[in-house]
Amino acid sequence: MIKVDNLSKVFIKKDGTNFYAVNKINFEAGDGEIVCLLGVNGAGKTTTMRVLSTIFQPSEGSAEIQGWDIRKHPDKVRENIGFLSGDTGLYNRLSCREFITYFGHLYSIEDQLIEQRIKVMADLLDMNEFLDKKIEFLSSGMKQKVSIVRSIIHDPPVMIFDEPTAGLDILTARNIVSFIRDCKQRGKCVLFSTHIMREAERLADRIVMIHKGKILADGTLEELRNISSQIDLDDIFVYYINQHTDEQELRANEF
Amino acid sequence: MNFKHTLVIFRKELMEVLRDKRTIFTTFILPIILYPLIIVGFNSVMMRQTKVLEERGATIAVQDSVDNEISHRLIQGLVRIKNYTFLPYNESTKQHYAEKDIQCIVTIRDSLGSEGTQFFKIYITYDKSKDQSRIVYEKLSKQLSKVEKELQQERLQISGLSPDFLNLVDIRERDTSSAQKKMGMFLGMFLPYIVIMMLFAGASIVAADLVAGEKERKTLETLLVSSVGRTEIVMGKYLTIITLAMLNMIVNLFSISFSLQFMLANQSKEMSGVTLPINAMLILLIAMIPLATLFAALLVSISTFSRNIKEARSYEQPLLMIAMLMGMVSFIPTIEISNLLAIVPVVNIALLFKAVLINEYTLSHILITIISTLVLDLIAILITVKLFKTESVLFRTEEESGGIKVLKKKPKYALTPYNGIVYFTIALILLYYLGGYWQTKDLYNGLIQTELIIIALPVFIVLKLLKLKPKEILRFKTPKPAGLILVPFIAISASIIVSIMSQLINTIFPYPEKYTEALTQLFNMNEAPWKVFLAIALLPGICEELLFRGFLIRFFEKYGLQWAVIISAILFAAFHLDPFRFVPVLLLGFLLGYLALRSGSVYTSMLSHIINNGLAFILVTYSNSSWVKFLVSEGDNIHYWLFIPALVVFVISLYAFHKVTAQGEEVCVE
């Protein structure tokens, strides 16, 4: 369960002025639900996810993960989330098993349980062949599978995927997509970000559109279609962006 | 902090490092192979070469202008030298010598002594810059002395005196140092330096990779979202660096000292079988641990700050240079460790190392060295953890260095730290070469030219080029009268405090005499007092404040005003190109920076600077007047008791200044 409450993240620009990468956003994601954060590059998706996963401190507002406040209990939040992004790196000199075990230890999981989970996931993702190979010798598809297991080794109730398929080939991307579906089936709360409309369309139960740090729309595909009277998600997206720009201009004219 | 997590990270990092063949090679295999190869190999080649030179023949021309029995005896003595050919001197000899066919020319002349006795003058012409020529000279002169001795003995016998008649004094040495101590002294010269370098090298092998490398490979994020805290991550990495630094250092230390012992044993019989005592080695290893931790903390912070490995490596360089310079103290023969020097990082380890090797150390030196280094280490690691928790540092993305491109695009953003350092470096080079040239030509005018043309003028030119307003940038603002009135009190009391401090430093590291002479010369220029005052107080006060508190301080304000004051003070102290006055000038720099920023006006720091320099001028110029004698004792030292009243005045006036300037100022320190 994710609850985002008036969350903002401000960066200070070089000339000393404030820049709102994320501007007072609100949304929720429930258990067993896939929520997609949809937006163009630079919309504030990664910043949002980094704040939610406690890499960044929020500037204003807050958020809760499984009831834990990200400001007050960052350690509890980290225990409850699995984080995966498309361009995550791995430690090349470790074997897959060592790599996953390393993260298992960082989550203070018993060796026995780690072994057990590796076994289950390796069977599921067809990884047994290369489990003891050094990561530097793996293909990008194999590496992504290792990253998947790494992200779920502590069996977190909330999964956060930051552009999980960015830069991956089709086959590897499919693995990720089916992994995301699998997470939903296990009752996990899933938040994933993308700028690819099709991915959002195919996967998401609910779509949260973000643009220039602000949320433009939040709803199921059907709801968004009804409001915008467009069918294609591309068109819906453009509709909301235009509306947002109009609003801004209107406000600018008022002053 | 969860120590278990730290250990998990440490174990994994160490495993990764030890799987890297290059690291294994440079850390362990290279030193084990290299030193025996270099030291023993080099030594044996050198000994062989010396032997070859010794045995090599030479051709020597002999000119005998005396041609009597004794000169014949001398020549006969020379001819006995093995492998040497002797030719009579003729017209072509000089040409042969020039063409190096002849290595030496021996000329024998005679002369009359005061009692009418004949004595011989022997001139040996040779080229001292050539090894072989030098060996020939040594052999010839040795042989000639031997013949002289024979002749003396004969003369004594003829006079009926015993051969011992001339042996009045016989000098013998009785060396109380043991062979072990001698070896310690020999090793103590350069081993500390090498060991400190190796400690740094071992630490830097992995440091850049540990955080900057994680950023580069995009693994840092996964680590940050795992349930391990940031302090634990830093500590895990820090332990890894310490371990590698110590391992590298130990391997190097043992490899070098064994090779050297082997070499020394080969060279002299006295040294054979001599080894360094194990307890000395243990003390050294224990004392090195704090230094390893200090290096590790500094290197982790560099790695944290850097965006990639390349950047981290380039930031490591200045740190390496500083460590190198400080480590070189072991080469200086007379400096020995004292309680005060034991506080100075790196220097203390180098000197302690030296002291332990010759077995002359005290427990207090070891404890002070270890504790002071650990305190610094603690500060460094706290800063590193803070850096690691600072988003803008850990996720630094933009290129902020500045450079020419930024200048062209946005002159407003030209005042970056990078550009500040570049400007400072150029000014320093000009000061050293151009200013130095002017001042050696004419000290008085040179000083004035330096202040006006090198220090002040370029500031205005650069501001003009950047289209920035000098009034705004340089803080040309009328200060509040109340603040300004307090400045003389602050300046004079600070001057006295700093002078007393440098007197204390002087008693510990006495300035070289030449240095004191040069300083006195500065005050004794043959000019009217007002002109001297102009050159050493008024102009420096105005021009140097324009540069440091007006202009350069602006480049560093993005780090916060405290850092701007600190960095500008360090540059100010470095600008004086005078290691003996570095600390006093640095302290004055802190004060001047504070005064300028607190009051928002460069005029306050100018006034303070002029008063400070003026006070020194007055004390020297009017040293005969009675009130100066009240302040200054014999030998130009300020009375130590003045420290207390000066400190009281300083604290009160500074507090008042702080209060007075508090309201209505847009900038304030603290």
Side-chain angles (χ1 to χ4, degrees):
Chain A
M1 173 90 178
I2 302 174
K3 239 190 210 162
V4 180
D5 182 20
N6 252 333
L7 188 73
S8 294
K9 178 68 192 173
V10 182
F11 292 111
I12 295 160
K13 283 206 287 195
K14 221 167 152 187
D15 57 4
T17 57
N18 284 349
F19 167 68
Y20 276 80
V22 172
N23 197 346
K24 294 194 175 118
I25 61 167
N26 292 285
F27 69 88
E28 279 182 27
D31 294 341
E33 188 181 29
I34 301 181
V35 172
C36 169
L37 212 53
L38 184 68
V40 291
N41 288 334
K45 303 186 298 278
T46 298
T47 306
T48 307
M49 300 205 141
R50 283 188 166 176
V51 174
L52 290 181
S53 47
T54 74
I55 296 176
F56 285 162
Q57 281 262 334
S59 308
E60 291 159 25
S62 193
E64 278 178 11
I65 306 268
Q66 293 299 106
W68 296 106
D69 191 292
I70 55 169
R71 283 177 189 271
K72 290 175 201 148
H73 302 283
D75 44 337
K76 289 284 171 199
V77 169
R78 285 196 293 267
E79 275 172 30
N80 281 291
I81 56 167
F83 186 89
L84 185 66
S85 75
D87 62 351
T88 312
L90 294 93
Y91 302 112
N92 281 334
R93 285 198 282 272
L94 300 186
S95 76
C96 304
R97 195 188 295 277
E98 284 165 347
F99 179 80
I100 298 162
T101 311
Y102 171 53
F103 278 93
H105 286 153
L106 290 183
Y107 286 107
S108 314
I109 309 171
E110 298 290 313
D111 278 336
Q112 221 182 342
L113 192 59
I114 295 173
E115 271 307 303
Q116 205 181 321
R117 286 187 182 157
I118 290 177
K119 198 177 174 313
V120 172
M121 288 303 291
D123 289 340
L124 193 80
L125 292 171
D126 196 18
M127 294 171 63
N128 285 314
E129 250 175 66
F130 57 88
L131 209 51
D132 289 302
K133 269 195 188 161
K134 287 238 186 87
I135 291 174
E136 59 185 323
F137 301 118
L138 303 187
S139 68
S140 59
M142 294 169 172
K143 281 183 189 169
Q144 198 60 21
K145 285 181 182 173
V146 179
S147 281
I148 289 175
V149 183
R150 190 263 310 148
S151 70
I152 202 172
I153 187 70
H154 53 303
D155 196 21
V158 174
M159 293 297 297
I160 294 179
F161 297 90
D162 184 19
E163 305 255 0
T165 59
L168 301 179
D169 60 68
I170 297 175
L171 292 178
T172 319
R174 277 177 82 97
N175 277 331
I176 300 280
V177 168
S178 66
F179 174 60
I180 291 175
R181 290 216 174 95
D182 186 56
C183 286
K184 174 189 158 90
Q185 264 163 20
R186 294 192 210 181
K188 292 186 194 297
C189 163
V190 177
L191 178 68
F192 86 98
S193 74
T194 187
H195 62 272
I196 305 164
M197 304 294 155
R198 252 176 65 81
E199 217 167 72
E201 244 172 334
R202 281 171 51 202
L203 270 172
D205 296 321
R206 252 190 30 249
I207 295 172
V208 176
M209 281 188 190
I210 184 167
H211 188 64
K212 290 187 179 167
K214 290 200 161 189
I215 287 182
L216 304 185
D218 180 353
T220 62
L221 191 56
E222 279 314 305
E223 286 167 359
L224 298 183
R225 275 180 182 151
N226 290 338
I227 295 171
S228 63
S229 29
Q230 305 280 345
I231 293 172
D232 210 40
L233 188 57
D234 281 22
D235 298 327
I236 300 174
F237 189 71
V238 173
Y239 166 84
Y240 276 107
I241 284 184
N242 285 340
Q243 206 184 33
H244 173 74
T245 330
D246 290 347
E247 256 174 50
Q248 269 191 332
E249 273 170 16
L250 211 71
R251 236 178 277 160
N253 288 338
E254 274 172 22
F255 286 108
Chain B
M1 203 184 92
N2 184 333
F3 196 68
K4 236 172 104 185
H5 282 163
T6 300
L7 271 184
V8 170
I9 292 175
F10 169 64
R11 264 209 320 265
K12 172 257 168 189
E13 297 293 358
L14 209 58
M15 182 161 80
E16 256 199 306
V17 168
L18 296 181
R19 279 186 187 170
D20 184 17
K21 290 191 189 101
R22 274 174 310 175
T23 309
I24 295 292
F25 186 76
T26 49
T27 317
F28 303 108
I29 301 177
L30 199 64
I32 293 173
I33 304 171
L34 206 61
Y35 292 115
L37 225 62
I38 293 177
I39 295 171
V40 178
F42 182 74
N43 189 45
S44 69
V45 168
M46 207 174 80
M47 288 203 333
R48 235 199 69 190
Q49 276 311 106
T50 321
K51 220 176 156 196
V52 166
L53 278 178
E54 293 264 333
E55 284 171 2
R56 192 185 280 175
T59 311
I60 293 120
V62 183
Q63 186 180 27
D64 184 2
S65 319
V66 184
D67 199 17
N68 70 359
E69 195 197 339
I70 291 178
S71 73
H72 291 168
R73 282 280 300 277
L74 286 168
I75 294 168
Q76 278 164 18
L78 288 179
V79 175
R80 268 183 277 164
I81 301 173
K82 259 196 255 167
N83 299 333
Y84 280 21
T85 317
F86 292 86
L87 304 171
Y89 187 90
N90 56 29
E91 296 98 51
S92 60
T93 300
K94 276 199 170 153
Q95 199 192 335
H96 284 303
Y97 178 75
E99 286 165 3
K100 299 184 175 75
D101 296 329
I102 290 175
Q103 281 78 31
C104 242
I105 303 169
V106 178
T107 310
I108 306 176
R109 295 215 175 101
D110 67 339
S111 156
L112 284 179
S114 53
E115 305 221 331
T117 48
Q118 183 189 36
F119 76 90
F120 296 83
K121 277 186 176 166
I122 302 173
Y123 300 91
I124 301 175
T125 313
Y126 76 109
D127 179 355
K128 205 175 179 177
S129 69
K130 288 232 154 37
D131 287 337
Q132 201 206 346
S133 209
R134 220 168 41 233
I135 289 172
V136 172
Y137 164 78
E138 272 157 22
K139 272 199 182 174
L140 291 177
S141 63
K142 211 164 146 194
Q143 189 70 10
L144 287 170
S145 307
K146 219 162 121 188
V147 178
E148 188 204 0
K149 236 212 158 124
E150 284 171 20
L151 290 169
Q152 277 176 351
Q153 301 271 338
E154 281 170 24
R155 280 193 177 178
L156 287 172
Q157 266 179 342
I158 291 167
S159 326
L161 294 166
S162 122
D164 287 334
F165 182 72
L166 285 179
N167 293 346
L168 215 59
V169 180
D170 185 9
I171 302 167
R172 307 241 169 137
E173 68 172 357
R174 278 185 180 167
D175 182 8
T176 57
S177 73
S178 63
Q180 200 173 61
K181 217 168 157 183
K182 275 197 209 90
M183 175 172 295
M185 194 204 74
F186 180 73
L187 294 179
M189 283 290 280
F190 51 92
L191 208 53
Y193 175 74
I194 296 177
V195 164
I196 289 168
M197 286 305 97
M198 286 308 137
L199 198 66
F200 192 93
S204 68
I205 287 173
V206 283
D209 198 69
L210 282 180
V211 187
E214 292 229 31
K215 289 189 198 178
E216 198 173 310
R217 290 185 299 268
K218 303 199 168 180
T219 48
L220 189 61
E221 243 182 15
T222 47
L223 198 57
L224 293 179
V225 295
S226 70
S227 88
V228 44
R230 297 202 182 178
T231 312
E232 290 144 28
I233 299 176
V234 174
M235 295 315 276
K237 310 247 169 200
Y238 170 69
L239 281 182
T240 314
I241 300 178
I242 295 172
T243 310
L244 247 98
M246 286 304 286
L247 280 176
N248 189 43
M249 194 272 291
I250 290 169
V251 172
N252 277 282
L253 177 63
F254 281 93
S255 182
I256 295 177
S257 51
F258 283 130
S259 307
L260 280 176
Q261 284 167 21
F262 184 75
M263 183 194 93
L264 290 176
N266 263 349
Q267 273 186 348
S268 75
K269 272 185 193 145
E270 196 194 355
M271 295 285 182
S272 66
V274 177
T275 51
L276 289 174
I278 286 296
N279 58 349
M281 287 298 208
L282 278 179
I283 290 171
L284 291 179
L285 289 182
I286 290 167
M288 291 307 274
I289 294 174
L291 188 62
T293 60
L294 179 61
F295 281 159
L298 293 173
L299 288 168
V300 180
S301 68
I302 287 177
S303 192
T304 304
F305 183 76
S306 307
R307 284 165 301 169
N308 51 49
I309 296 176
K310 212 173 116 196
E311 200 180 291
R313 288 244 180 268
S314 59
Y315 287 141
E316 281 170 8
Q317 290 309 311
L319 190 63
L320 174 67
M321 303 264 253
I322 294 170
M324 261 168 80
L325 282 176
M326 294 179 109
M328 276 183 188
V329 73
S330 68
F331 292 122
I332 305 173
T334 49
I335 296 186
E336 281 173 9
I337 192 160
S338 62
N339 283 343
L340 193 87
L341 280 175
I343 304 173
V344 186
V346 186
V347 169
N348 54 12
I349 299 278
L351 294 178
L352 181 68
F353 210 107
K354 216 169 157 180
V356 169
L357 285 176
I358 57 169
N359 202 21
E360 280 178 7
Y361 59 93
T362 62
L363 188 65
S364 72
H365 292 155
I366 297 177
L367 288 180
I368 296 173
T369 300
I370 291 179
I371 292 168
S372 66
T373 314
L374 279 178
V375 168
L376 282 176
D377 170 46
L378 189 73
I379 296 168
I381 195 69
L382 287 176
I383 291 173
T384 310
V385 171
K386 181 114 199 286
L387 279 180
F388 205 82
K389 287 179 176 171
T390 311
E391 287 164 16
S392 56
V393 172
L394 199 59
F395 293 94
R396 216 158 55 88
T397 48
E398 261 178 292
E399 180 59 59
E400 293 171 342
S401 60
I404 298 291
K405 276 184 194 162
V406 178
L407 290 188
K408 278 186 184 159
K409 267 194 291 185
K410 287 177 185 169
K412 209 174 135 195
Y413 300 138
L415 304 181
T416 62
Y418 176 84
N419 288 343
I421 298 291
V422 171
Y423 185 92
F424 173 76
T425 312
I426 295 171
L428 195 66
I429 292 169
L430 282 177
L431 173 77
Y432 189 74
Y433 290 102
L434 197 58
Y437 171 71
W438 285 340
Q439 286 172 30
T440 44
K441 243 177 52 182
D442 176 355
L443 182 63
Y444 182 76
N445 288 322
L447 279 173
I448 290 181
Q449 280 170 307
T450 305
E451 292 293 341
L452 290 176
I453 301 173
I454 297 175
I455 298 177
L457 185 66
V459 171
F460 291 101
I461 295 176
V462 170
L463 286 177
K464 181 90 192 156
L465 287 175
L466 292 172
K467 296 188 183 97
L468 295 170
K469 287 183 197 140
K471 190 173 187 287
E472 198 178 295
I473 299 287
L474 302 178
R475 296 193 169 87
F476 289 156
K477 201 183 114 186
T478 321
K480 285 187 180 172
L484 207 59
I485 289 166
L486 288 164
V487 169
F489 294 96
I490 299 173
I492 292 172
S493 56
S495 230
I496 291 171
I497 293 169
V498 170
S499 299
I500 290 174
M501 283 165 99
S502 52
Q503 275 165 220
L504 277 173
I505 298 174
N506 186 21
T507 57
I508 299 155
F509 301 106
Y511 306 149
E513 251 170 58
K514 267 191 186 166
Y515 173 84
T516 329
E517 271 172 33
L519 263 191
T520 330
Q521 198 196 344
L522 200 63
F523 290 100
N524 296 339
M525 290 181 284
N526 286 327
E527 303 285 348
W530 71 268
K531 283 178 94 176
V532 179
F533 181 78
L534 177 79
I536 65 172
L538 193 64
L539 276 182
I542 294 171
C543 301
E544 287 168 24
E545 287 316 297
L546 276 179
L547 175 60
F548 288 96
R549 257 60 63 177
F551 191 50
L552 278 176
I553 209 167
R554 285 284 187 193
F555 288 86
F556 304 99
E557 279 175 9
K558 62 167 286 195
Y559 295 143
L561 296 182
Q562 292 99 317
W563 283 107
V565 169
I566 292 169
I567 296 169
S568 67
I570 293 172
L571 297 182
F572 179 59
F575 198 72
H576 285 73
L577 292 171
D578 183 349
F580 296 103
R581 277 197 301 160
F582 187 89
V583 175
V585 175
L586 181 74
L587 294 175
L588 279 178
F590 289 148
L591 176 69
L592 294 171
Y594 164 80
L595 291 177
L597 290 198
R598 179 75 192 176
S599 65
S601 163
V602 76
Y603 298 140
T604 19
S605 72
M606 278 181 183
L607 179 63
S608 179
H609 198 151
I610 293 168
I611 292 173
N612 176 69
N613 287 20
L615 195 66
F617 160 79
I618 288 170
L619 292 186
V620 174
T621 314
Y622 301 102
S623 57
N624 288 327
S625 66
S626 59
W627 64 274
V628 169
K629 284 211 172 110
F630 173 74
L631 294 176
V632 178
S633 67
E634 290 296 316
D636 296 339
N637 269 353
I638 295 178
H639 291 299
Y640 284 105
W641 62 263
L642 274 169
F643 187 82
I644 305 289
L647 192 66
V648 172
V649 172
F650 180 73
V651 171
I652 293 173
S653 53
L654 199 68
Y655 177 78
F657 181 85
H658 200 83
K659 284 278 158 200
V660 168
T661 46
Q663 291 133 359
E665 299 298 342
E666 72 274 41
V667 272
C668 69
V669 186
E670 258 140 13

